[in-house]
Amino acid sequence: MALSLVTELGHTAVLKGMMLLFLILGIFVPIRVMGQGGNATGSSSRPSVVNIGALYTFDSVIGRAAGPAIEAAIQDVNSDPSVLAGTRLNLITHNTNCSGFLGTMEALQLMENDVVAVIGPQSSGIAHVISHVMNELHVPLLSFAATDPTLSSLQYPYFLRTTQNDYFQMYAIADLVSYHGWREVVAIFVDDDYGRSGISILGDALAKKRARISYKAAFTPGASKSQINDLLVEVNLMESRVYVVHVNPDSGLSVFAVAKNLGMMTSGYVWIATDWLPSLLDATEPVDTDIMNLLQGVVAFRHHTPDTDLKKRFISRWSGFKTNRSAKSGGFNSYALFAYDSVWLAARALDVFFKEGGNVSYSSDPKLHDTNGSTLHLASLRVFDGGQEFLQTIVRMNFTGVSGEVQFDTDKNLVRPAYDVLNIGGTASRKVGYWSNYTGLSVVDPEILYTKPPNTSTSNQHLYSVIWPGETAKVPRGWVFPNNGKPLRIAVPNRVSYKDLVAKDKNPPGVRGFCIDVFEAAINLLPYPVPRTYMLYGNGKGNPVYNELVQAVASDNYDAVVGDVAITTNRTKIVDFTQPYMESGLVVLAPVKEEKSSPWAFLKPFSIQMWFVTGGFFLFVGAVVWILEHRINHEFRGPPRQQLITIFWFSFSTMFFSHRENTVSTLGRLVLIIWLFVVLIINSSYTASLTSILTVQQLSSRIVGIETLTASKEPIGVQEGSFAWNYLVDELNIAEWRLVKLKSQDDYGRLLELGPQGGGVAAIVDERPYIELFLSTSNCASRIVGQEFTKSGWGFAFQRDSPLAVDLSTAILQLSENGDLQKIHNKWLARSGCSAPVDEIDENRLSLKSFWGLFLICGIACFLALITFFCRVICQFRRFAPEDGQEPEVEEIEPARPRRQLRSTSFKDLIDFVDRKEAEIKEMLKRRHSDTKRASPSTDGLPNSPP
């Protein structure tokens, strides 16, 4: 843990300052405790005694737990014949006294004792300083409590952390913040290496979750309660109510004591503590009810250590551990486990080091010789010759200790970092889940999850319910309006046109209009009060530029904008908008004129294509019916001229269902039924469309949409302050000289009436709500033409990451669902206006695309009927054709018809056959069949002679 008071100085400067202090005090004297069998130049491969150092604060929360654990580990190692056989560890401890100055001095004195490794320190600040010494002397530094993430950098190759890195703890906190949907936190931390580095990592972790630290509240180590009180008073003025407390265990309770006095441990507040708090509570024996009363509802993270048999046996031995160096009997916490495993890590690595031929020897460093008669005995600090090899041996160690698996990754961090998520309530803490970098937040033990594939998705994050401050299970919102007397600064555009939307008012709150009513209704749905004041933006002589108004919010001149502000891409990059409360989009308003009645109006219901296809189908169906009926129906026979007239008459008489000819064939009746259904639909559609055209007022405009304006060079009217100006210039590449500012609502009608020839405009481009308001009060001389060519909406703009934007979006949706939004719209904007836009009237003309299905069905029916008919005719013709060159004579059946002979099966014969009546063909086939039967007796070859 970080307890240093000197970390504000550079590490090199601190080291030089310490040595200068030793020179002044005259206490830097050579002290050496050599291991048995060792000497100044070398030692045997298996010395009988090896020195190992320990640095920690004896009388501290961490020290009281680490001290007994370190001494117990030394005893266990020395009594275990399987480890370091024939070699005993000699422990040399120094007390850092919770002081960066004294801790650094004690560390330098420790290094005079030719130690092979140092267990500690617990202070991240001291670890930063003495790591430079370890780099020079090649002595590994195994810290069980220095959690500063920056100590893992390449700058400290001999520093090895045997506890969890705060890097992972800060990501665990970020996951907890994201899990509950909070977006801002306040960081309360001690201003040293430990505190600053941890909070810096927390900021990075929150940024990845789209959250942030809104305020950093730092205090000096050992700050008084009055200083902490002043700090928390300032913190309480912030919007965020989520506090992350990252301090030292020996003084951290002061933060909660002051917070309770200030009423900051009540409902609505969220307090998240790092591992320092569980370490303090675990080490407190027995439970202090006064302390627990301060911490009700706090969520804390504790280093996760598996519940193995080794851990249980270690805990059962804890009460029997004795230490002569600790001021008090030790209180157990997770740091005792890490300290115990640190000694075993050094012992196991040293055993492997010896087995691989390593040698404990020391040599003088040429850089540390005495110069210029200095009394600094730098030569007493010697370099561990095998330090590099010993460090590599430690890094590759892998064993199971009381804290779990002891193994290092490529960054020299312990593998599988995990934390218990605790919720403090009553007189104990309750485990509500776990966090690991393998699966994130979970209610399942990490050791079980390690056997499954990793899954850190949002849907996989789970925790049990938490009892928050104020004894409530409802998740706090995480922010409130600051209790500092400053209401929300709301900018309102001071419009000179369309004042039904938003305008200045003499009565409170000073503004009125549709937008104001929607905002007030949404605010009233929030479960908390929102102090606010409306501030007019603009000089009142012209509409303000809305882009500048939105930029003023982004620049912190205002907290929000309430008005007819369109949500555009560029604006969303600098502010946050609520859910749209009004649909909008750019449209074209153009003057229209009434079309005079035309003598050819009866042709308008159908398009030209529709007319041609319909006429063609009338003739086609008439021809098909004639083909199907010609052989059997005398009404479809006669001279060619008469038959042609019959086809035309029958075709077009079906339009009025007045055809006189009867159909007698099955195929002909089938085709006629389908065609009469098609005619019925066409007649009904024609009648309805013609009625609409003749009775509805017909309007026309030479401008049909934005495409017409883009292609022309005529002037275009644009409302002052609207985003439409930039859109037309930047997106549609329309020259600015063509754009005319419309400063008032009267300018719309006046400039449209003047037209481009009289100094006016050809059309106006504006948002649909403005155009509809204008049309509701105009004389209907203009209309919306073409389609809406942009899609957007109006919303309320807030500063980035404002939680009020989210809550108001929910309120707007609620207004829309319960109908209140429509009621407000009807109050201000619902008026009788002009008729439908021009582009909708033109859609009355019917085209082929509406009827091609009917024509397809009819065509298929005709085609199938013709195929069936001709197949039957061809079968008859094959039976009727002469065989073996015979020339059968055909008896005249009809008196007026000359005798004909079928001599060959030519195409002409086929046409002649088709042209005959069906009854005649059947009679001829019958005669031929009878003749064939009478001639059959002569086929035996015997002539018949008379008697």
Side-chain angles (χ1 to χ4, degrees), residues 702-886:
R702 63 186 182 85
I703 297 174
V704 296
I706 189 62
E707 297 81 7
T708 307
L709 291 178
T710 305
S712 69
K713 300 295 182 182
E714 295 178 326
I716 303 171
V718 181
Q719 183 182 177
E720 183 181 21
S722 171
F723 79 96
W725 184 289
N726 291 336
Y727 182 86
L728 295 177
V729 173
D730 299 336
E731 301 297 332
L732 301 183
N733 298 319
I734 295 177
E736 287 196 42
W737 61 265
R738 294 181 56 194
L739 304 183
V740 178
K741 287 185 179 180
L742 307 176
K743 296 186 178 181
S744 67
Q745 193 169 343
D746 295 335
D747 290 345
Y748 283 64
R750 181 175 59 84
L751 293 179
L752 284 175
E753 184 178 357
L754 291 175
Q757 306 300 328
V761 296
I764 293 174
V765 174
D766 207 347
E767 296 179 69
R768 181 178 287 274
Y770 300 119
I771 299 299
E772 291 179 346
L773 272 177
F774 168 74
L775 291 176
S776 67
T777 58
S778 70
N779 57 3
C780 296
S782 56
R783 291 287 193 280
I784 296 174
V785 296
Q787 299 294 325
E788 193 173 82
F789 57 93
T790 65
K791 290 291 185 181
S792 62
W794 291 351
F796 304 126
F798 290 85
Q799 293 184 8
R800 294 303 299 267
D801 301 321
S802 172
L804 189 59
V806 178
D807 288 354
L808 273 180
S809 294
T810 305
I812 291 172
L813 288 175
Q814 186 175 347
L815 287 175
S816 178
E817 292 172 356
N818 61 22
D820 289 344
L821 188 60
Q822 185 61 41
K823 293 178 182 177
I824 299 173
H825 181 276
N826 295 340
K827 171 186 174 182
W828 290 96
L829 307 180
R831 298 175 183 173
S832 59
C834 300
S835 58
V838 175
D839 61 317
E840 295 181 7
I841 297 175
D842 292 339
E843 293 297 324
N844 289 330
R845 175 166 292 190
L846 300 174
S847 63
L848 182 61
K849 64 181 180 180
S850 302
F851 299 94
W852 70 267
L854 287 173
F855 288 129
L856 178 64
I857 294 173
C858 184
I860 292 175
C862 292
F863 181 71
L864 294 177
L866 289 175
I867 290 178
T868 304
F869 171 78
F870 282 113
C871 287
R872 188 178 66 180
V873 169
I874 291 174
C875 289
Q876 289 180 346
F877 181 72
R878 292 183 62 186
R879 292 169 54 194
F880 185 79
E883 300 177 359
D884 301 328
Q886 296 180 2

Side-chain angles (χ1 to χ4, degrees), residues 77-91:
V77 169
N78 289 334
S79 61
D80 191 340
S82 63
V83 180
L84 291 177
T87 301
R88 184 175 62 85
L89 293 181
N90 179 48
L91 178 65

Side-chain angles (χ1 to χ4, degrees), residues 167-401:
Y167 173 90
F168 301 106
Q169 182 173 208
M170 296 307 163
Y171 272 83
I173 294 175
D175 281 350
L176 179 69
V177 171
S178 176
Y179 175 77
H180 290 99
W182 301 315
R183 288 291 175 261
E184 293 184 357
V185 303
V186 172
I188 303 173
F189 61 99
V190 61
D191 194 11
D192 59 9
D193 288 332
Y194 159 73
R196 285 192 302 272
S197 299
I199 296 304
S200 176
I201 297 297
L202 176 61
D204 296 339
L206 289 173
K208 293 183 179 180
K209 300 293 183 179
R210 299 189 64 183
R212 67 188 182 100
I213 299 176
S214 60
Y215 184 71
K216 294 182 179 180
F219 58 89
T220 59
S224 63
K225 282 193 174 183
S226 62
Q227 292 173 323
I228 296 176
N229 183 83
D230 295 340
L231 183 69
L232 292 187
V233 168
E234 186 175 359
V235 164
N236 202 31
L237 298 179
M238 305 297 167
E239 289 185 358
S240 177
R241 285 294 183 264
V242 181
Y243 305 133
V244 177
V245 184
H246 188 52
V247 296
N248 296 317
D250 296 281
S251 57
L253 286 179
S254 300
V255 174
F256 290 102
V258 173
K260 189 172 183 63
N261 291 334
L262 294 176
M264 298 173 65
M265 299 297 296
T266 56
S267 179
Y269 289 86
V270 177
W271 290 88
I272 303 173
T274 53
D275 61 87
W276 68 269
L277 183 57
S279 300
L280 172 63
L281 297 180
D282 291 343
T284 303
E285 297 177 356
V287 175
D288 190 329
T289 56
D290 293 335
I291 293 178
M292 299 306 292
N293 289 335
L294 295 177
L295 305 173
Q296 297 299 300
V298 175
V299 175
F301 286 82
R302 179 176 63 194
H303 298 114
H304 174 74
T305 53
D307 290 329
T308 60
D309 293 336
L310 281 175
K311 175 182 175 181
K312 294 176 181 178
R313 287 196 296 267
F314 178 80
I315 295 176
S316 65
R317 297 169 52 200
W318 182 257
S319 59
F321 291 159
K322 301 295 182 180
T323 176
N324 296 326
R325 297 184 180 271
S326 296
K328 300 178 182 178
S329 59
F332 175 81
N333 56 38
S334 59
Y335 289 104
L337 303 175
F338 294 123
Y340 183 85
D341 282 344
S342 299
V343 175
W344 272 98
L345 173 64
R348 291 176 182 273
L350 193 60
D351 187 47
V352 174
F353 176 72
F354 288 147
K355 291 179 180 179
E356 293 177 351
N359 187 24
V360 177
S361 62
Y362 298 86
S363 60
S364 299
D365 189 344
K367 299 178 183 178
L368 300 178
H369 62 278
D370 296 338
T371 58
N372 299 326
S374 173
T375 58
L376 288 174
H377 298 279
L378 297 178
S380 61
L381 301 177
R382 302 194 304 164
V383 177
F384 179 18
D385 296 330
Q388 179 64 29
E389 292 76 9
F390 183 43
L391 175 65
Q392 296 303 320
T393 303
I394 296 175
V395 171
R396 58 187 172 90
M397 293 303 297
N398 182 6
F399 68 96
T400 300

Side-chain angles (χ1 to χ4, degrees), residues 464-516:
Y464 293 120
S465 60
V466 174
I467 304 301
W468 304 98
E471 297 183 357
T472 175
K474 182 181 179 181
V475 178
R477 188 172 61 253
W479 71 278
V480 295
F481 281 95
N483 188 22
N484 54 8
K486 294 181 180 179
L488 202 66
R489 301 166 300 170
I490 301 177
V492 176
N494 190 9
R495 298 189 57 88
V496 296
S497 61
Y498 299 110
K499 293 189 176 183
D500 288 337
L501 296 173
V502 59
K504 181 180 179 181
D505 191 24
K506 296 180 180 179
N507 300 320
V511 288
R512 63 179 179 85
F514 167 72
C515 302
I516 302 300

Side-chain angles (χ1 to χ4, degrees), residues 465-673:
S465 60
V466 174
I467 304 301
W468 304 98
E471 297 183 357
T472 175
K474 182 181 179 181
V475 178
R477 188 172 61 253
W479 71 278
V480 295
F481 281 95
N483 188 22
N484 54 8
K486 294 181 180 179
L488 202 66
R489 301 166 300 170
I490 301 177
V492 176
N494 190 9
R495 298 189 57 88
V496 296
S497 61
Y498 299 110
K499 293 189 176 183
D500 288 337
L501 296 173
V502 59
K504 181 180 179 181
D505 191 24
K506 296 180 180 179
N507 300 320
V511 288
R512 63 179 179 85
F514 167 72
C515 302
I516 302 300
D517 281 6
V518 173
F519 181 76
E520 288 290 333
I523 286 291
N524 292 334
L525 291 177
L526 299 181
Y528 49 88
V530 181
R532 56 198 178 277
T533 180
Y534 294 102
M535 307 169 68
L536 291 173
Y537 183 88
N539 55 18
K541 299 179 180 179
N543 294 332
V545 179
Y546 279 50
N547 283 340
E548 296 177 358
L549 177 57
V550 173
Q551 183 62 50
V553 175
S555 302
D556 197 27
N557 296 329
Y558 303 97
D559 297 313
V561 173
V562 172
D564 48 333
V565 182
I567 303 173
T568 64
T569 302
N570 291 334
R571 293 173 182 175
T572 57
K573 294 178 180 179
I574 58 176
V575 297
D576 285 346
F577 280 94
T578 63
Q579 170 81 15
Y581 62 88
M582 167 75 87
E583 291 185 359
S584 181
L586 294 180
V587 294
V588 177
L589 178 70
V592 295
K593 60 181 180 179
E594 183 178 354
E595 288 188 351
K596 296 181 179 180
S597 179
S598 170
W600 303 103
F602 68 91
L603 295 176
K604 289 184 178 180
F606 287 165
S607 63
I608 295 177
Q609 186 183 23
M610 181 66 180
W611 278 118
F612 276 106
V613 173
T614 303
F617 256 87
F618 270 106
L619 294 176
F620 173 69
V621 172
V624 170
V625 173
W626 178 84
I627 292 172
L628 298 175
E629 296 289 325
H630 176 70
R631 302 183 72 203
I632 60 178
N633 192 340
H634 70 277
E635 294 183 0
F636 288 87
R637 299 187 67 84
R641 183 171 176 271
Q642 180 183 347
Q643 295 184 48
L644 186 62
I645 293 174
T646 300
I647 292 175
F648 277 92
W649 166 255
F650 180 83
S651 299
F652 291 102
S653 63
T654 56
M655 179 185 300
F656 311 103
F657 306 98
S658 61
H659 51 285
R660 295 176 300 176
E661 294 79 8
N662 294 320
T663 53
V664 296
S665 68
T666 303
L667 293 176
R669 290 176 175 176
L670 176 63
V671 170
L672 185 60
I673 289 174

Side-chain angles (χ1 to χ4, degrees), residues 631 868-883 888 890 900-918 920-922 924-925 928:
R631 302 183 72 203
T868 304
F869 171 78
F870 282 113
C871 287
R872 188 178 66 180
V873 169
I874 291 174
C875 289
Q876 289 180 346
F877 181 72
R878 292 183 62 186
R879 292 169 54 194
F880 185 79
E883 300 177 359
V890 179
R900 298 177 60 91
Q901 292 183 350
L902 295 178
R903 303 181 181 274
S904 62
T905 58
S906 64
F907 179 74
K908 182 179 179 182
D909 297 330
L910 177 62
I911 297 300
D912 183 70
F913 179 81
V914 173
D915 188 54
R916 289 178 178 272
K917 289 185 177 181
E918 182 78 15
E920 180 183 351
I921 296 299
K922 290 182 178 180
M924 292 172 60
L925 291 175
R928 182 174 181 182

